[in-house]
Amino acid sequence: MNTNTIRVGIIGTGGRGITCIGRQIAVQASELGMTITAFCNRTENRMQVALEDVNAVAKAAGNEPFSPTFYSNAIDLINDDQVDVIVITTPTNAHLEAAIPALQSGKKVYLDKPIAHTLEDSIAIRQAEHESGNTMIMGFTRRYEKPWIDCKSLVESGAIGNLKMMLVRAVLPYAFYFQTWHRSRAVSGGALNDKGSHYTDVFNWFAGGRALQVNAFGGRNVFQEQEDAPEFCSECDRDCPYRADQIRPDTQDQVKGAVDASFAQETDPMKRKDNCVYKKGADIYDHASINYQYDNGIVASIFYTIYGPQAEDEETLELVGTKGRIILTRLRGEINLVTDYGEKKHEVIPCKAEYFESSHFGADRKLVQEIAAHARGGPSPVDGWHGMEATRMVVGALQSLDTGGQTVRMADLADGS
Ligand SMILES: NC(=O)c1ccc[n+]([C@@H]2O[C@H](COP(=O)([O-])OP(=O)(O)OC[C@H]3O[C@@H](n4cnc5c(N)ncnc54)[C@H](O)[C@@H]3O)[C@@H](O)[C@H]2O)c1
């Protein structure tokens, strides 16, 4: 092996760790000088399935197969001297136990979003990053996705004047949040943390200021508990629009092969991927309308539900400036631009990345390139402070939702300073 090869250890060899990041390492291994030398997972059979998966991808790309060491304990992987970069893709409530020792080890760290399931854990991880002086790189995919990057450049070029308003409209077919560990706030921090932290991070990236206050309305009106709900889809023969085994969309956002037989062997029901959406025990919201006010006068809203139909315009970012406006349609990889007070109407800018058909519309491919560049001493595009602030804004929104829409002052939420 080349001495400059970046050796990656993946903690949490599930959907994100393998079907997104592992596969992208497998595709680009020789180009980027990367390899996978260690896996850590709670269950051994997941690592075996994961290895077969990434090695099939490596083979198809003409790359060498990987032969990682398997660990059941994150600390052992972190201490492995054959690992240079630690990738953490465990469920969100398990981020802290790996992230703090990983940051303290001085090795390069990639941590997926959301940073944590609670504000306390988010602050603790951010503090470990700060105190160790070891800046990590985080997985806010839209920061690596071409249309969002192009939008940012358009705003910076003054194309729409001064940015004043932002809206993410996310009408998503994400029933799976009620079928997986995401259904518990104690594990995920809520569906809003899992998805909404992408959006609050985008707002912070574009706004260049800090949120002052938030209010939100929402709740649960489709995935309400039913007394006679079965445990799992695989044990149920009802005609149901949310069957995990039939409807899981196969888009670049919900990657093919992310659910496989190894999950049906899970002993912990929370780790299964086919819990009935109507089963008791879920404490997350299925829709919300959220408003933030920034210290620089910008206002930003999230219009969000996870029972939307699959549709080409299921996720859009709308930006309004003093001279124009932008609408980004994510699944079309397209920007619609109006400038000069409406003089220039509806310029449709196709801006798909070259590998738009790959996971997260090409973002994971770029993300792995950024991880490699960071491992070689480059900057982190998005670090733990951004991760903490994104979840802090979600926590503010949840506090408002929990209290029927009361306004929450962000200054009342700790940030570790
Ligand atoms: N950036 C993105 O767009 C994006 C997309 C999907 C998921 N994610 C994030 O990635 C993380 C993982 O999500 P996922 O969808 O891959 O979940 P998953 O359930 O598919 O995979 C998690 C894996 O971690 C293992 N695991 C659980 N607890 C563990 C522990 N304590 N130590 C080691 N292994 C453990 C599980 O067995 C499983 O294999 C979450 O934080 C999620 O929010 C980010």
Side-chain angles (χ1 to χ4, degrees), residues 103 108-111 126 129 133-140 143-144 201 205 367 369-387:
L103 288 163
K108 295 291 180 183
V109 179
Y110 167 84
L111 176 61
R126 161 60 189 153
E129 177 189 56
N134 186 8
T135 304
M136 64 182 171
I137 170 166
M138 289 203 63
F140 289 103
R143 296 244 194 182
Y144 310 97
D201 178 61
W205 182 31
L367 167 59
Q369 294 165 2
E370 293 283 356
I371 293 173
H374 183 58
R376 297 203 156 90
S380 163
V382 50
D383 62 21
W385 191 89
H386 296 103

Side-chain angles (χ1 to χ4, degrees), residues 287-346:
H287 70 282
S289 179
I290 306 165
N291 298 300
Y292 294 98
Q293 183 197 34
Y294 275 81
D295 54 6
N296 56 11
I298 290 176
V299 290
S301 303
I302 301 174
F303 178 81
Y304 172 81
T305 177
I306 57 178
Y307 51 78
Q310 195 178 358
E312 231 191 15
D313 62 356
E314 66 191 36
E315 183 175 327
T316 60
L317 169 69
E318 190 157 342
L319 303 171
V320 183
T322 48
K323 294 198 304 191
R325 70 105 180 98
I326 291 171
I327 300 175
L328 181 166
T329 307
R330 188 180 188 218
L331 271 67
R332 282 208 288 266
E334 185 183 282
I335 291 172
N336 184 309
L337 176 68
V338 174
T339 60
D340 301 294
Y341 306 95
E343 279 292 305
K344 277 201 191 153
K345 290 197 174 66
H346 299 288

Side-chain angles (χ1 to χ4, degrees), residues 15-16 41-42 92 95 97 112-113 139 141 181 194 273:
R16 180 70 183 151
N41 204 75
R42 200 179 61 84
T92 308
H95 284 185
E97 69 194 45
D112 227 301
K113 55 50 52 185
T141 19
W181 51 263
D194 201 76
K273 304 247 173 177

